[in-house]
């Protein structure tokens, strides 16, 4: 359990990867296992240039698929996956290696079914390639952020805000940091918040302050999952729903994020703890100018992605795959110069990417098992298809909001849950709802799972900093909040489905 790990073993920035997105046996990207307490090889282990190079080539092909589909890059990306998985599995053990074994079993089951089994396998490989490439691209930005003094100074400023605005500052800051750092935002702000709370000598005040700060960070993080183009929930759900482009989903998805974040802030204000004595207030380090570098980075990221998405009508994930590594490269050049950037690129490929082996295994295998496994299940659930199609579309939307968090309590990765379920659903038109409404319901459920499931990185990391189990954080700290937020999200998804 995460609570069994000492807090100093959680990396201050480099952790992960959404996964709300990972699920099951979570790890930090610093190499610390959160499921068994045993550290995996750290970033200083021997370099693995072949493994890193294979991941870089796969990412380049995934990017090229969106920008030059006629080149057949998508097929190339899919067929490089077996090499990547072989290099992944070479140093895996335990449950992580079990994911590869399950993928092989699914492949064998498809072959035994016969028919067009190869097409389903190729679709699964394509899904794994996309997820792996997306992860590698996002990791470049986190790598650049790890060595940025401005990012850490901004985090210290947010964590040191006075009680009246601390929750809101950390929620908004958590959203902004999440876009850039993903799970690294929880690690960075969480470590700074714990350090800030440690200045308080009264144990009662220190406990409540730490709990409220960590919940603000966690809820701020999950509130970006429905709308951020850098989140796996948007990337994967958008890939499954090509009829729901990002420019059509972003505004209603922002409403979802507002519900998630706003409900957390409102409940924090309504149910403030009653303290036996007044806490001593400290002035925050730095000033408002500390957040300007973060705002600038968000603009440098968001504006090009949006312009490319609209001007070239390329998928938003295609724009992200192109812009993020270029932005990260420019950021490193500013920090270390051109020669330093070349050295960092080599270190990133040979040393940093291999340390993400556990996360990449879970993410890529979840995508493959879900996509290919749906073909195994389809003949067995075909008899239920008429029953599902008979349900009213708005009811299906409401059920989808709760499907992911419920399966998350059972340890199912959201990526696996969505990719496994989606092919079994009727087409949106058959259900009488729009593709955008289906997107809103799925991403809302994804966010809800991220706040409640004891198997996701958000609850594991939050519990680590709090000294509590992930189950305690997910159900006791967030139980009432999840019920209120889930009810509001259900009403929103159903209402939007009826309206659209």
């Amino acid at each position: 359990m995460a609570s069994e790990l000492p807090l100093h073993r959680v990396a201050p920035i480099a952790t992960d990867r959404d996964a709300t997105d990972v699920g099951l046996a979570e790890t930090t990207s610093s190499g610390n296992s959160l499921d068994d307490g045993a550290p995996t090889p750290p970033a200083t282990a021997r370099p693995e240039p072949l493994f890193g190079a294979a991941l870089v080539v796969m990412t380049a092909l995934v990017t090229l698929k969106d920008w030059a589909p006629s080149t057949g890059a998508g097929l190339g990306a899919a067929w490089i996956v077996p090499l990547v998985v072989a290099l992944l599995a070479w140093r895996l053990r335990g449950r992580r290696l079990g994911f590869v074994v399950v993928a092989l079993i699914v492949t064998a089951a498809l072959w035994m079914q016969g028919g067009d089994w190869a097409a389903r396998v190729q679709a699964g490989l394509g899904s794994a390639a996309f997820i792996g490439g997306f992860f590698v691209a996002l990791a470049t930005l986190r790598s650049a952020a790890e060595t940025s003094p401005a990012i850490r100074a901004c985090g210290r400023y947010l964590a040191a805000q006075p009680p009246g605005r601390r929750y809101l500052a950390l929620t908004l800051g958590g959203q902004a940091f999440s876009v850039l750092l993903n799970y690294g935002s929880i690690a960075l702000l969480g470590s700074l918040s714990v350090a800030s709370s440690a200045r308080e000598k009264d144990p009662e005040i220190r406990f409540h302050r730490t709990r409220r700060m960590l919940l603000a960070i966690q809820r701020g993080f999950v509130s970006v999952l429905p709308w951020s183009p850098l989140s796996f929930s948007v990337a994967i759900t958008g890939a499954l729903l090509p009829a729901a482009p990002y420019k059509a989903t972003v505004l209603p998805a922002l409403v979802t994020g507002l519900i998630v974040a706003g409900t957390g802030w409102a409940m924090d204000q309504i149910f403030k703890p009653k303290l036996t004595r007044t806490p001593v207030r400290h002035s925050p380090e730095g000033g408002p100018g500390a957040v300007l570098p973060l705002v600038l980075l968000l603009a440098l990221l968001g504006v090009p992605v949006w312009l490319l998405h609209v001007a070239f009508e390329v998928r938003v994930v295609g724009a992200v795959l192109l812009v993020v590594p270029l932005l990260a490269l420019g950021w490193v050049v500013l920090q270390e110069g051109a020669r330093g950037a070349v050295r960092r690129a080599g270190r990133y490929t040979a040393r940093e990417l291999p340390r993400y082996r556990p996360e990449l295994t879970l993410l890529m295998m979840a995508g493959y098992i879900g996509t290919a496994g749906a073909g195994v299940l389809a003949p067995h659930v075909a008899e239920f298809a008429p029953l599902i199609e008979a349900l009213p579309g708005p009811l299906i939307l409401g059920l989808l909001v709760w499907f992911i968090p419920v399966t998350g309590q059972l340890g199912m990765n959201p990526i696996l849950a969505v990719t496994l379920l989606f092919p079994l659903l009727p087409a949106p038109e058959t259900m009488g709802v729009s593709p955008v409404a289906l997107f809103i319901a799925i991403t809302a459920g994804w966010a809800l799972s991220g706040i409640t499931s004891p198997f996701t990185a958000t609850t594991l990391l939050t519990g680590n900093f709090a000294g509590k189990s992930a189950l305690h954080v997910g159900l006791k700290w967030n139980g009432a909040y999840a019920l209120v937020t889930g009810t509001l999200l259900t009403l929103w998804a159903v209402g939007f489905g009826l309206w659209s």
Side-chain angles (χ1 to χ4, degrees):
M1 294 297 293
S3 59
E4 295 172 355
L5 291 175
L7 296 185
H8 69 270
R9 287 184 57 188
V10 179
I13 293 183
T15 70
D16 187 38
R17 196 122 184 71
D18 193 54
T20 308
D21 296 69
V22 179
L24 289 179
E26 296 294 337
T27 63
T28 65
S29 60
S30 59
N32 296 328
S33 170
L34 292 181
D35 66 316
D36 57 14
T40 55
T44 55
R46 64 184 181 185
E48 298 181 64
L50 177 60
F51 178 40
L55 288 170
V56 170
V57 171
M58 181 182 70
T59 303
L61 291 172
V62 169
T63 305
L64 193 61
K65 175 187 175 183
D66 272 289
W67 289 97
S70 60
T71 61
L75 184 61
W79 287 110
I80 202 175
V81 168
L83 172 62
V84 171
V85 173
L87 294 171
L88 277 172
W90 184 254
R91 295 178 61 188
L92 287 175
R93 59 184 175 81
R95 283 196 286 180
R96 300 185 188 98
L97 184 59
F99 273 82
V100 179
V101 174
V102 171
L104 292 174
I105 293 173
V106 168
T107 306
L110 284 170
W111 174 72
M112 292 175 64
Q113 275 187 356
D116 197 11
W117 68 274
R120 179 61 70 178
V121 169
Q122 184 175 320
L125 292 174
S127 177
F130 166 71
I131 292 171
F134 195 70
F135 180 96
V136 170
L138 297 184
T140 62
L141 198 57
R142 275 176 288 164
S143 177
E146 287 179 359
T147 52
S148 171
I151 289 295
R152 196 169 289 276
C154 179
R156 282 195 297 268
Y157 175 73
L158 293 172
Q161 292 299 303
R165 57 176 182 264
R166 184 187 297 129
Y167 187 98
L168 189 59
L170 285 173
T171 297
L172 295 175
Q175 291 176 325
F177 274 100
S178 297
V179 173
L180 295 176
L181 303 178
N182 207 301
Y183 284 90
S185 64
I186 298 179
L188 170 63
L189 293 177
S191 61
L192 294 174
S193 296
V194 169
S196 175
S197 296
R199 299 166 61 185
E200 175 57 56
K201 294 182 173 55
D202 187 295
E204 178 193 16
I205 296 174
R206 185 168 60 248
F207 167 76
H208 288 297
R209 180 176 295 173
T210 301
R211 182 182 65 84
R212 293 173 70 189
M213 292 172 78
L214 291 175
L215 287 179
I217 296 165
Q218 184 191 20
R219 294 168 185 176
F221 172 84
V222 298
S223 69
V224 309
L225 298 183
W227 59 264
S228 171
L230 275 69
S231 73
F232 273 93
S233 55
V234 170
I236 292 173
T237 310
L240 293 171
L241 286 166
Y246 184 74
K247 58 186 176 183
T249 62
V250 61
L251 290 180
L254 282 169
V255 175
T256 303
L258 181 62
I259 292 172
V260 174
T263 304
W265 174 82
M267 293 185 69
D268 177 78
Q269 297 300 302
I270 294 170
F271 301 106
K272 285 183 179 180
K274 295 181 180 180
L275 303 174
T276 55
R277 74 179 189 86
T278 305
V280 178
R281 300 193 177 191
H282 302 277
S283 299
E285 301 178 30
V291 303
L292 290 180
L294 182 60
V295 174
L296 177 61
L297 281 168
L298 291 174
L300 290 174
L301 174 64
V303 172
V305 166
W306 178 257
L307 291 178
L308 291 173
H309 173 57
V310 173
F312 293 94
E313 296 187 348
V314 68
R315 293 189 308 161
V316 71
V317 292
V320 167
L321 285 165
L322 179 64
V323 171
V324 166
L326 293 177
L327 177 61
L329 178 62
W331 196 356
V332 173
V333 169
L334 289 176
Q335 293 180 41
E336 303 184 16
R339 290 185 178 180
V342 172
R343 288 194 298 270
R344 282 281 294 274
R347 185 165 71 247
Y348 173 77
T349 301
R351 292 187 179 273
E352 293 186 32
L353 282 179
R355 79 182 185 182
Y356 291 118
R357 176 178 269 106
E359 295 95 318
L360 282 164
T361 302
L362 292 171
L363 291 168
M364 293 178 66
M365 292 301 92
Y368 178 83
I369 294 168
T371 303
V376 176
L377 291 179
H380 304 287
V381 300
E383 59 185 284
F384 298 103
L387 298 176
I388 298 175
E389 293 179 3
L391 295 175
L395 176 60
I396 295 178
L397 295 178
L399 292 174
L400 283 174
V401 173
W402 292 98
F403 173 79
I404 303 175
V406 168
T407 54
Q409 293 299 314
L410 304 175
M412 185 174 287
N413 179 347
I415 293 178
L416 178 59
V418 171
T419 54
L420 196 61
L421 172 71
F422 190 84
L424 308 179
L425 291 174
E429 297 76 15
T430 304
M431 292 188 288
V433 299
S434 69
V436 175
L438 195 56
F439 177 96
I440 295 303
I442 292 174
T443 53
W446 204 308
L448 201 58
S449 180
I451 209 73
T452 57
S453 173
F455 300 96
T456 57
T458 56
T459 50
L460 286 164
L461 285 170
T462 302
N464 238 288
F465 284 117
K468 302 289 184 181
S469 70
L471 186 65
H472 184 94
V473 171
L475 297 184
K476 189 167 184 179
W477 280 12
N478 281 314
Y481 164 76
L483 289 174
V484 174
T485 306
T487 301
L488 294 175
L489 290 176
T490 303
L491 293 174
W492 163 237
V494 172
F496 183 83
L498 292 171
W499 174 76
S500 61

